[in-house]
């Protein structure tokens, strides 16, 4: 279980990025966090990943308090952030230092295979397209078998076709190994394709605005009627949240 | 489907264009054209008696001088002496530059304490140190090596500091996510990230090392390529001067190529980028 208890984050420059954010995510659940830019979504993931310390509140993974990066928590950034001096295979195996060579090789291969890039282990990151690089980054996070997987707008820089195929791919990966998934996005469709629960966040400071349960079975048909109606509902909630924010700002 | 059938066609169009592109030898040939024809022209002019060639000896005389210098092993002694000074000075300057540069890049307090002083010292033209070095270290090897080391130190220090400061914070976070700290973070993230720029800084440093060995040897040496320069001037032997200059150029180029060759295996990932374009 991932527990966020009254999380607040004020940056040293005084920006209140997050305020009193409380959320419980059961093991194996897939939750999407959606909201406009600057509403603290990345901050939330960085707190859970242990890259930042909360000003107030706690992050707990299976009862253990997170104060620094933890092996049970994997993070995929918005950009691939591959290390250019390592081959694709060695990038994937970056977190496997100390694992015996044969075992390491096997796990790298399995992780690359799970993202459909088994043949690319010897290539350099320079030779990867944007979508391939992001899949390598996903494999790098998956290879250590994290029980919580955090994704920060992982597909937002990709073209629509690649994005849709990677979303479907992520759903299959999640169904296979069932990590707890926390996906940050500003794409309504992406949230609905992947998540069991969608959380709308409103900004300045970031806090929960609305929660939607999505009970459609996976894999989801983007053109189905109930999917469309959920999309409308979610868009309405998001628009309301943005409007309120603009009124507050103006 | 349609996408896949279009792509090979696009690729086919680019292939013949590449094959008819300029040959890789073109820049070499074109680049050599001017110096080689000047040299040949000068040779012909002197041979034909149109020019005297006393102040600027023709290529054949320089070749002769080089030959006679190397016959008795004299040239090797001079090369050895100069190489030894550059090697020791470069080693000291490079090690000190890397250490201080890494510390200044990595530690803010070190940077705040030490960098202003180093920048201040850098403002002194390096040759101004010579009298002091001679007073401190004597007129023999130590003062020469010290001058070379000073020349090497500053570009290496600056290059390493800048490259450590320039390491992408986003890449460092990848290391942090995998729980790397301290030495492991330095070894697995920072060192590979700065390596290309460190190699560049070392090459600049080496270039300055060669510059300062000439200065040091001109100011007084019993052997070395710089000594050949001074000797050639005092005895009126321009062929010896030009010969020494040529040897400087060749050896300087070779030592630079050695750094490049030594670093190539570690920078293969960069080459692949260049090759891909
Ligand atoms: N390191 C930081 N220092 C100061 N302010 C920051 C920092 N990171 C983010 N912020 C601010 O915090 C707010 C939330 O940022 P972020 O979590 O990146 O939002 P999102 O990911 O939803 O776009 C923004 O106003 C942003 O400018
Ligand atoms: Mg963000």
């Amino acid at each position: 279980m991932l527990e966020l208890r009254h999380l607040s984050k004020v940056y040293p420059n005084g920006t209140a990025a997050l305020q009193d954010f409380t959320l419980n995510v059961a093991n194996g659940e897939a939750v999407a966090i959606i909201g406009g830019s600057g509403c603290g979504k990345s901050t939330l993931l960085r707190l859970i990943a242990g890259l930042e310390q909360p000003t107030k509140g706690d992050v707990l993974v299976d009862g253990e308090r997170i104060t620094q990066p933890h092996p049970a928590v994997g993070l995929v950034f918005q950009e691939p952030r591959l290390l250019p001096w390592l081959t694709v295979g060695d990038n994937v195996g970056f977190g496997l230092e100390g694992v015996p060579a044969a075992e390491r090789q096997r796990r790298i291969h399995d992780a690359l295979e799970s993202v459909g890039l088994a043949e690319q282990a010897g290539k350099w990151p320079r030779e990867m397209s944007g979508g391939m690089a992001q899949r390598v980054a996903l494999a790098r996070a998956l290879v250590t078998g994290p029980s919580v997987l955090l994704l920060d707008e992982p597909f937002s820089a990709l073209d629509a076709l690649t994005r849709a195929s990677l979303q479907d791919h992520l759903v299959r990966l999640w169904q296979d190994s069932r990590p707890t998934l926390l996906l940050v996005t500003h794409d309504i469709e992406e949230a609905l394709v992947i998540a069991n629960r969608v959380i709308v966040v409103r900004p300045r400071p970031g806090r929960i605005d609305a929660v939607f349960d999505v009970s459609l079975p996976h894999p989801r048909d983007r053109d189905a009627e109930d999917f469309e109606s959920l999309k409308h509902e979610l868009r309405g909630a998001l628009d309301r949240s943005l409007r309120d924010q603009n009124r507050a700002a103006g | 489907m349609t996408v896949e059938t279009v792509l090979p066609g696009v690729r086919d169009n680019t292939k013949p264009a590449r094959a008819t592109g300029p040959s890789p030898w073109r820049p070499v040939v074109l680049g050599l054209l001017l110096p080689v024809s000047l040299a040949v022209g000068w040779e012909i002019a002197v041979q034909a008696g149109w020019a005297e060639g006393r102040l600027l000896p023709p290529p054949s005389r320089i070749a002769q001088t080089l030959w006679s210098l190397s016959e008795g092993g004299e040239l090797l002694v001079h090369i050895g002496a100069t190489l030894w000074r550059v090697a020791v000075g470069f080693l000291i300057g490079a090690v000190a530059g890397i250490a201080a540069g890494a510390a200044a890049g990595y530690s803010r307090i070190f940077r705040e304490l030490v960098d202003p002083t180093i920048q201040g010292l850098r403002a002194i033209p390096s040759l101004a140190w010579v009298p002091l070095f001679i007073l401190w270290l004597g007129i023999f090897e130590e003062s020469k090596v010290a001058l070379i080391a000073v020349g090497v130190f500053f570009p290496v220090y600056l290059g390493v500091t800048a490259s450590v400061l320039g390491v992408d914070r986003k890449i460092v976070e990848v290391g942090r996510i995998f729980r790397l700290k301290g030495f492991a973070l330095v070894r697995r993230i920072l060192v590979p990230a700065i390596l290309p720029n460190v190699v560049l800084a070392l090459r600049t440093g080496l270039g300055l090392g060669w510059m300062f060995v000439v200065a040091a040897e001109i100011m007084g040496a019993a052997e070395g390529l710089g000594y050949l320069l001074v000797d050639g001037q005092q005895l009126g032997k321009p062929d010896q001067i030009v010969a020494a200059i040529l040897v400087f150029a060749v050896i300087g180029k070779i030592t630079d190529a050695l750094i490049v060759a030594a670093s190539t295996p570690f920078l293969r990932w960069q080459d692949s980028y260049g090759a891909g374009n």
Side-chain angles (χ1 to χ4, degrees):
Chain A
M1 174 120 128
L2 169 66
E3 296 167 74
L4 313 179
R5 293 188 185 158
H6 307 289
L7 276 184
S8 296
K9 176 68 183 179
V10 181
Y11 281 107
N13 67 1
T15 308
L18 220 54
Q19 184 177 300
D20 202 23
F21 201 102
T22 297
L23 176 69
N24 288 341
V25 185
N27 285 342
E29 211 186 335
V31 171
I33 312 268
I34 194 165
S37 78
C39 69
K41 307 184 297 296
S42 295
T43 302
L44 182 69
L45 290 199
R46 295 172 61 81
L47 289 173
I48 302 171
L51 289 176
E52 305 272 0
Q53 301 302 316
T55 313
K56 270 199 214 119
D58 299 294
V59 176
L60 293 99
V61 172
D62 292 328
E64 194 182 336
R65 204 165 150 250
I66 301 287
T67 52
Q68 53 182 334
H70 190 281
V73 182
L75 172 60
V76 177
F77 297 96
Q78 187 166 354
E79 328 80 28
R81 301 200 188 181
L82 302 183
L83 306 176
W85 57 86
L86 295 180
T87 61
V88 164
D90 285 335
N91 263 287
V92 172
F94 190 76
L96 295 178
E97 179 114 309
V99 176
E103 157 94 1
R104 182 170 179 273
Q105 238 26 63
R106 189 185 57 73
R107 284 169 69 177
I108 290 173
H109 179 267
D110 290 353
L112 274 174
E113 193 160 56
S114 76
V115 297
L117 293 176
E119 311 302 316
Q120 312 290 329
K123 291 253 175 77
W124 295 107
R126 296 280 196 204
E127 302 171 83
M128 301 278 108
S129 69
M132 287 161 102
Q134 196 56 294
R135 280 190 282 169
V136 175
L138 189 58
R140 179 175 64 187
L142 288 171
V143 78
T144 54
S147 59
V148 175
L149 183 59
L150 311 171
L151 301 131
D152 191 354
E153 305 193 22
F155 311 135
S156 62
L158 307 175
D159 64 90
L161 277 178
T162 312
R163 193 183 322 145
S165 104
L166 284 190
Q167 288 162 357
D168 295 341
H169 204 92
L170 180 62
V171 169
R172 281 198 296 280
L173 283 173
W174 172 71
Q175 286 179 309
D176 284 348
S177 55
R178 277 290 174 152
T180 306
L181 205 67
L182 206 58
L183 170 81
V184 156
T185 180
H186 55 232
D187 179 341
I188 292 172
E189 189 170 292
E190 179 167 294
L192 290 175
V193 165
I194 293 165
N196 303 123
R197 192 149 46 118
V198 179
I199 298 187
V200 179
V201 179
R202 67 155 71 190
R204 274 175 284 268
R207 57 210 185 279
I208 296 179
D209 197 40
V211 179
F212 286 79
D213 284 311
V214 187
S215 50
L216 305 174
H218 289 98
R220 290 170 183 160
D221 179 358
R222 290 175 172 78
D223 301 318
E225 228 166 86
D226 37 6
F227 190 90
E228 283 292 334
S229 70
L230 264 174
K231 233 164 101 176
H232 268 104
E233 214 181 315
L234 188 51
R235 173 161 301 130
L238 203 57
D239 284 348
R240 258 194 313 284
S241 140
L242 290 174
R243 213 168 33 239
D244 290 353
Q245 159 203 344
N246 287 342
R247 195 178 303 145
Chain B
M1 269 288 275
T2 47
V3 174
E4 271 163 38
T5 51
V6 167
L7 274 179
V10 172
R11 213 174 291 149
D12 280 345
N13 284 341
T14 61
K15 254 186 191 161
R18 271 211 189 141
T20 56
S23 126
W25 291 105
R26 190 188 141 97
V28 179
V29 172
L30 285 184
L32 283 175
L33 199 59
L34 182 64
V36 167
S37 30
L38 281 177
V40 170
W42 187 238
E43 182 72 44
I44 292 171
V46 175
Q47 296 287 350
W50 301 329
E52 199 187 359
R54 196 178 58 82
L55 285 177
L56 182 59
S60 59
R61 280 253 305 285
I62 295 164
Q64 241 169 31
T65 309
L66 273 174
W67 177 248
S68 63
L69 274 174
S70 50
E71 234 177 358
E74 199 190 338
L75 185 61
L76 267 186
V77 171
H78 292 303
I79 291 177
T82 300
L83 261 183
W84 172 251
R85 287 168 190 143
V86 173
V88 176
F90 177 72
L91 202 71
I92 295 172
V95 167
I98 289 176
Y106 195 74
S107 150
R108 181 166 173 181
I109 184 71
F110 183 93
R111 186 164 66 250
E112 286 170 341
L113 282 174
V114 177
D115 188 65
T117 305
I118 293 183
Q119 298 294 347
L121 291 174
R122 193 169 76 92
I124 301 168
S126 300
L127 293 182
W129 291 107
V130 169
L132 208 52
F133 284 168
I134 289 177
L135 275 184
W136 287 345
L137 302 168
I139 57 165
F140 299 111
E141 295 307 308
E142 288 85 350
S143 58
K144 294 186 181 61
V145 166
L147 179 65
I148 295 164
V150 166
V152 173
F153 173 83
F154 287 108
V156 173
Y157 168 82
L158 286 179
V160 172
T161 305
S163 64
V164 173
L165 286 174
V167 171
D168 189 354
R169 189 186 54 83
K170 293 180 167 180
I171 291 275
V172 177
E173 267 180 1
V174 173
R176 286 185 58 209
I177 273 287
F178 287 103
R179 295 168 302 290
L180 298 184
K181 281 187 205 132
F183 182 68
L185 189 70
V186 169
R187 181 174 66 84
R188 297 189 63 198
I189 300 280
L190 293 180
V191 168
I194 67 171
L195 199 60
N197 288 322
V198 171
V199 170
L200 222 57
L202 287 177
R203 292 176 66 187
T204 314
L206 184 64
L208 271 117
W210 280 105
M211 205 166 115
F212 282 107
V213 80
V214 176
E217 289 180 344
I218 282 182
M219 282 178 294
E223 55 187 21
L225 291 169
Y227 163 80
L228 282 184
L229 295 175
V230 180
D231 187 61
Q233 178 215 326
Q234 285 170 348
L235 302 183
K237 295 190 285 190
D239 48 336
Q240 182 177 315
I241 297 178
V242 178
I245 288 175
L246 284 179
V247 175
F248 263 125
V250 169
I251 296 183
K253 184 71 197 164
I254 289 175
T255 52
D256 183 62
L258 283 179
I259 295 189
V260 174
S263 62
T264 300
F266 304 100
L267 299 180
R268 234 165 5 117
W269 55 275
Q270 274 199 322
D271 289 352
S272 76
Y273 177 57
N277 277 270

